Amino acid sequence: MVEIKTDASLDAMRAAGRIVAQALTAVRESAAVGVTLRELDGTARAVLSEAGAGSPFLGYRPDWAPVPFPAVICASVNDTIVHGIPDDYALRDGDLVSVDCGASSGGWVGDSAVSFTVGRARPADTRLVDAAFEALDAGIAAAVVGNRVGDIAHAIGRVCRGAGYGIPDGFGGHGVGRAMHEDPGVPNEGRPGRGVPLRHGMVLAIEPMLIAGGTDDHYTARDGWSIRTTDGSRAAHAEHTVAITDDGPRILTLL
């Protein structure tokens, strides 16, 4: 069931989204050669704590997960697409990092992700990250009253495929509100004019995921969480929580 939020609820979700943006900004500023993924998680925890917010990631355990998620961010490096568990891996020059973070505040959830390079960026990685954010922007532009979820999916997929990148099947965006994952699902590829109609008050997490090698193949690592590219190529992930409004898309996870 798709929940339609009131305008007051959207304002409350904006507060949660701002905390997510603050956490991601702090993590990105802290990311440097030699810094561990666990330390980045600690940075995000400090921001959430100072804001009096909780984490929808910490302790989250869907049916398919072997253990609850042990951190407040997903930190996915190089060939890890999403759901990377922060550990003692120390960042190296040229690493491509995707960080996904959520915050719970006032009974509402915000969810967002960024990708960036640590140190000197490979040109191919820069193109991949740029394409991820271009796909995100395209998806957001399609998130308007009168369109359907398929229009968002089509806009994202057109950018990804047009740039020659793969899209991991089975992963995409979702509704968000009082829970981190709500209806409807938002695929990263699809047919325009199909799916749930977009209405004022719907809130979606729109999140393109791109595989540099051009294939869609992926597998789950031994930790039961990390999703990695089968061909070993690098991946990027970008995400915002977006409200559908009569005045156009409202991004809730900006600073």
Side-chain angles (χ1 to χ4, degrees), residues 1-14 108-109 143-146 174-178 182-184 196-205 241-250 252:
M1 179 177 176
V2 178
E3 180 187 3
I4 303 300
K5 281 75 173 177
T6 66
D7 290 346
S9 296
L10 296 183
D11 289 340
M13 290 192 70
R14 172 70 179 113
W108 298 100
V109 173
V144 296
V145 173
H174 48 86
V176 60
R178 294 196 178 276
E182 297 183 352
D183 292 332
V196 176
L198 303 182
R199 297 172 52 194
H200 178 92
M202 290 176 62
V203 181
L204 306 175
T241 296
V242 180
I244 312 300
T245 81
D246 291 329
D247 296 323
R250 181 184 180 188
L252 303 180

